Amino acid sequence: MEVPSRWYNIIPDLPLPLPPPVDPPDRDSSSIELLNQILPVEVIRQQFSADRWIDIPDEIKELYKNFGRPTPLLRARRLEEKINTKSKIFFKYEGALPTGSHKLNAAIPQAYYAKKDGIESVITETGAGQWGAAVSLAARTVGIKSTVFMVRSSYDQKQQRRYLMEMYGARVIPSPSTTTAFGRSVHGSGSGSLGIAMSEAIEYALKTGAKYLVGSVLEVVLMYQSIIGLEVIGQLNEIGEEPDVLIGCVGGGSNFAGFTYPFIGSNAKGRFIAVGPAEVPKFSSGKYRYDFPDTAEILPLIKMITLGADFEPPPIYSGGLRYHGVAPTLSMLIQQEKVSSREYGEKISAEAAKMFAETQGIVPALESSHAVAAAIDEAKAADMRGTSSVIVFNMSGHGLLELDNYMKIYGDR
Amino acid sequence: MMAELVIYNTVGFPDPETFFKFVQGACSYVDALELGIPPKFAKYDGPTIRRSYVAVAGTDYMNLLSNVKCRAIALTYLDGLDLEKFLEMVRCTKAVMFPDLLIDHMNRLEEVTEAVKKMSLKNVIFISPSVPDTIIKSASRFADEFVYLGIRPATGVPTPVNVTKLVKRVRVIVDGKLIVGFGLKDNEEIAQAIEGGADGVAVGTSVMKVLEERGESEAIEAVRRLKEYVDSL
């Protein structure tokens, strides 16, 4: 299996036109113009491209290979035995990438295109640290500097994540910080949030002329992640399997979209299940409307399923699933019932993670454990119906750098 | 065949008198004038056109439109619009375009285009790059004036796009006349649109800026130069 040579863009294959980003109606300035200033040129061009296929530059392909792509598609035989199912359960293991999650797939092209613009430094924000680690490594790899605004509570608690970024050469700044005007305006008011960190990162990018890298939600990020699903299509072909169900967890939607869109776009049979946390009930309680993707309301409005940009997520451990919205294309596919959704509470998903670790040896990221829970339920449901299914889910990352969270959930044994 | 030139301005901008003088002068150089009526929410418009909507608030649009002697296309958004009243107001024009028709009101496509026809007006169907192939194909059949491809998400905001590629993709789907606009930033992009297969181009923000800052004479001259350039392609 070779690394795919093209990314897949679902825009021309959507059931309806995708509502474009719009400027807030009450402003004289343009938030869309802001994208011009902060994103690498080629990233914006690809964000607004209608091409179904976009060639992956050879340099990026080489980096994908270097870091372990294609990632393995594995069969969870011991899990199947444990739950005594007739179904086959496969998982795509994105945790095999060096930073432990799928995030590197989108960080590499953005850092590469930033370097192409002649930029020497990139900036981003990170919550739990997965995106920050991916950007740090990608920047180091292409030979530019990186600065990561890390939510202060994570900065203090997740020292291994922070150190991983620093090991790759990133400058990691706890947010709120005194580095930016926005940070100073809220400094001392608490442990920070992803919205504050994002605002600081964008302000700092504008001030320094660095480029800002985006971790999810934007269509171009989902397109970069399509490398996952394209590989899975090839890997399933090699073993002669055709999926009945594809499952992924959803924070902003990038790993789910990257995993499923190549299947959806090729009108593959089967169902697609997006799984979110019950504690951030965007599927069951969110509204499909224009909303800000960022809590600081800096970026353009996008039409998506949202709990509101001012939604304050409860302190669940799946940091990557606390986002208030769902990427616009995925929101539309859910609205059009091309993708179904469900929600699991943290207790249920953590139990699934434990079962997976006991049977397959891999500790899933808490985010990915939601997909594990859904895969187990799908297998059980097929058994109840007296059928067997081919179930494939995306293990978007491993949880080895968040064992402290598992300890908090299960208690120190 | 020579490429067509469509020029956009907001009705009454920058003031009724200048607007009228500009329209009179520009008419001889353009194939059509695209005239915007301020909507409740200027969804896909950049700062320049949004400002123009504020500047013309309270204008007697119907009166100004009825004095436009060249081919005019009225433009507004459907959100919160009283369609019947709007069509009555613009009935002296030749055609109508609603940029949000396919994007947010797809289920009203037949109803809206039928209402337009009943007023003896023609339909310009607006599509953006995010409109899927299947819908471009089916919706373009409702365009009895032309299909308008907006290449950028907001007017006057020069996000980097590959104009030729975007136009080529739509050209193979649309059989009828195809006009490209919504953010063409310079002559190079106009040439790229024509190279991609467009039958004509629409320009707005750049001419409006000249009109606002330097008056109607220079704006008309800018239109004349644009026409000369488009004819040379």
Side-chain angles (χ1 to χ4, degrees):
Chain A
M1 169 84 205
E2 287 288 308
V3 174
S5 54
R6 300 182 299 180
W7 290 299
Y8 171 68
N9 177 16
I10 201 168
I11 298 289
D13 295 324
L14 286 172
L16 288 174
L18 184 70
V22 299
D23 281 328
D26 52 351
R27 288 188 198 162
D28 284 342
S29 60
S30 170
S31 305
I32 297 172
E33 170 66 31
L34 180 74
L35 297 181
N36 275 354
Q37 296 173 48
I38 60 174
L39 300 184
V41 174
E42 190 58 27
V43 173
I44 307 182
R45 190 173 287 127
Q46 291 172 353
Q47 164 72 15
F48 295 115
S49 169
D51 290 348
R52 187 171 280 108
W53 297 102
I54 291 185
D55 288 340
I56 303 175
D58 287 344
E59 297 93 325
I60 294 178
K61 259 180 81 176
E62 281 308 311
L63 290 174
Y64 278 163
K65 270 189 211 166
N66 182 61
F67 290 128
R69 300 219 71 90
T71 53
L73 178 76
L74 301 169
R75 184 165 171 189
R77 286 182 191 274
R78 303 233 345 137
L79 177 66
E80 291 169 15
E81 283 168 22
K82 171 84 177 180
I83 60 174
N84 194 27
T85 180
K86 291 190 178 69
S87 293
K88 295 175 185 173
I89 302 176
F90 294 91
F91 63 102
K92 178 71 166 167
Y93 187 42
E94 291 293 294
L97 294 170
T99 55
S101 84
H102 68 292
K103 293 288 187 184
L104 195 58
N105 302 330
I108 287 172
Q110 291 184 72
Y112 170 83
Y113 290 127
K115 167 108 178 186
K116 281 257 171 194
D117 286 352
I119 298 297
E120 290 173 359
S121 177
V122 291
I123 306 214
T124 198
E125 75 287 327
T126 196
Q130 290 187 351
W131 173 239
V135 168
S136 307
L137 175 56
R140 160 64 68 172
T141 305
V142 302
I144 55 178
K145 292 178 188 160
S146 62
T147 301
V148 181
F149 285 86
M150 186 175 193
V151 175
R152 184 173 286 276
S153 57
S154 299
Y155 181 91
D156 292 335
Q157 291 165 19
K158 294 183 175 291
Q159 296 197 3
Q160 288 184 330
R161 285 266 187 216
R162 169 187 145 196
Y163 186 68
L164 180 62
M165 289 185 265
E166 289 173 346
M167 201 168 174
Y168 291 137
R171 178 182 173 215
V172 184
I173 301 173
S175 168
S177 74
T178 53
T179 309
T180 67
F182 189 78
R184 286 191 291 277
S185 75
V186 293
H187 195 65
S189 63
S191 53
S193 71
L194 201 59
I196 293 170
M198 184 187 274
S199 308
E200 288 206 85
I202 293 171
E203 182 188 326
Y204 197 63
L206 286 167
K207 189 172 125 190
T208 60
K211 290 294 177 187
Y212 171 75
L213 305 194
V214 186
S216 190
V217 182
L218 283 188
E219 306 317 324
V220 68
V221 176
L222 276 51
M223 183 191 78
Y224 296 144
Q225 294 293 353
S226 69
I227 191 89
I228 303 173
L230 292 167
E231 285 178 6
V232 174
I233 287 174
Q235 288 165 321
L236 286 172
N237 278 342
E238 281 176 0
I239 56 173
E241 295 286 358
E242 203 176 352
D244 297 302
V245 190
L246 288 116
I247 300 165
C249 63
V250 173
S254 75
N255 98 76
F256 179 86
F259 175 53
T260 59
Y261 281 7
F263 288 91
I264 294 172
S266 62
N267 291 316
K269 77 172 180 86
R271 292 179 295 122
F272 306 94
I273 303 173
V275 190
E279 296 84 354
V280 184
K282 47 195 166 193
F283 294 136
S284 54
S285 305
K287 298 276 181 285
Y288 185 51
R289 64 178 174 86
Y290 271 105
D291 192 17
F292 287 101
D294 57 317
T295 47
E297 303 184 352
I298 298 171
L299 296 171
L301 294 160
I302 53 175
K303 195 165 184 182
M304 62 178 176
I305 294 171
T306 176
L307 289 164
D310 56 353
F311 174 76
E312 286 185 21
I316 57 169
Y317 296 112
S318 303
L321 302 188
R322 297 175 74 206
Y323 187 64
H324 65 275
V326 179
T329 48
L330 180 53
S331 292
M332 175 192 282
L333 290 166
I334 291 170
Q335 287 295 111
Q336 293 297 310
E337 299 180 350
K338 301 281 181 195
V339 170
S340 64
S341 62
R342 67 177 67 159
E343 292 164 350
Y344 290 101
E346 195 152 68
K347 194 159 177 266
I348 292 170
S349 55
E351 283 302 323
K354 188 163 173 290
M355 189 187 289
F356 197 81
E358 287 167 354
T359 52
Q360 297 300 131
I362 293 170
V363 179
L366 274 158
E367 291 84 352
S368 315
S369 67
H370 290 73
V372 181
I376 292 170
D377 277 0
E378 279 298 308
K380 286 180 178 171
D383 291 330
M384 291 278 282
R385 292 192 303 269
T387 59
S388 68
S389 291
V390 176
I391 299 161
V392 188
F393 72 90
N394 192 30
M395 175 72 76
S396 56
H398 71 62
L400 288 177
L401 287 176
E402 51 184 332
L403 290 176
D404 52 342
N405 281 335
Y406 279 107
M407 280 169 65
K408 283 174 195 157
I409 293 170
Y410 293 122
D412 194 353
R413 299 171 184 205
Chain B
M1 223 166 76
M2 287 229 264
E4 294 195 4
L5 176 64
V6 178
I7 292 290
Y8 172 89
N9 191 19
T10 299
V11 180
F13 183 77
D15 58 73
E17 196 185 333
T18 313
F19 168 80
F20 192 62
K21 285 181 188 166
F22 168 71
V23 165
Q24 272 190 317
C27 269
S28 51
Y29 301 116
V30 301
D31 296 281
L33 277 176
E34 186 192 343
L35 298 172
I37 318 285
K40 291 219 160 136
F41 174 23
K43 281 187 207 170
Y44 316 139
D45 292 311
T48 304
I49 294 181
R50 288 210 302 270
R51 267 202 312 278
S52 76
Y53 290 152
V54 176
V56 303
T59 299
D60 182 351
Y61 305 119
M62 197 167 176
N63 179 41
L64 283 176
L65 284 170
S66 63
N67 285 304
V68 174
K69 300 300 173 206
C70 53
R71 194 171 189 81
I73 297 156
L75 176 158
T76 198
Y77 294 84
L78 279 168
D79 272 9
L81 182 75
D82 183 329
L83 183 62
E84 206 176 317
K85 266 191 189 169
F86 175 79
L87 292 175
E88 187 59 42
M89 180 171 73
V90 303
R91 66 182 310 168
C92 56
T93 63
K94 301 292 181 217
V96 179
M97 174 168 97
F98 304 104
D100 56 346
L101 174 57
L102 294 188
I103 295 164
D104 287 326
H105 302 274
M106 183 71 195
N107 56 345
R108 295 183 62 197
L109 176 61
E110 287 192 30
E111 170 219 326
V112 171
T113 50
E114 200 48 44
V116 169
K117 275 189 193 168
K118 270 191 187 159
M119 297 295 279
S120 302
L121 292 163
K122 292 195 166 184
N123 283 289
V124 173
I125 298 294
F126 178 90
I127 57 172
S128 69
S130 69
V131 177
D133 293 0
T134 49
I135 292 181
I136 295 175
K137 198 173 180 105
S138 59
S140 62
R141 291 200 296 267
F142 291 85
D144 46 9
E145 181 70 7
F146 57 77
V147 170
Y148 185 123
L149 168 63
I151 54 155
R152 287 195 162 88
T155 58
V157 181
T159 42
V161 294
N162 188 325
V163 177
T164 311
K165 260 189 169 182
L166 291 175
V167 178
K168 274 187 177 167
R169 172 216 170 201
V170 173
R171 180 69 281 177
V172 296
I173 306 173
V174 172
D175 294 327
K177 192 194 288 183
L178 176 66
I179 301 291
V180 173
F182 232 72
L184 287 174
K185 67 177 182 195
D186 52 26
N187 282 356
E188 196 184 336
E189 288 198 343
I190 288 173
Q192 288 167 358
I194 301 299
E195 186 197 330
D199 298 302
V201 292
V203 177
T205 303
S206 62
V207 172
M208 288 175 75
K209 280 183 178 165
V210 177
L211 182 62
E212 186 180 22
E213 290 161 15
R214 291 183 267 153
E216 73 275 6
S217 302
E218 291 207 32
I220 292 165
E221 175 56 19
V223 173
R224 189 195 66 75
R225 284 198 305 269
L226 271 171
K227 175 66 178 164
E228 201 174 81
Y229 179 70
V230 169
D231 284 351
S232 74
L233 294 171

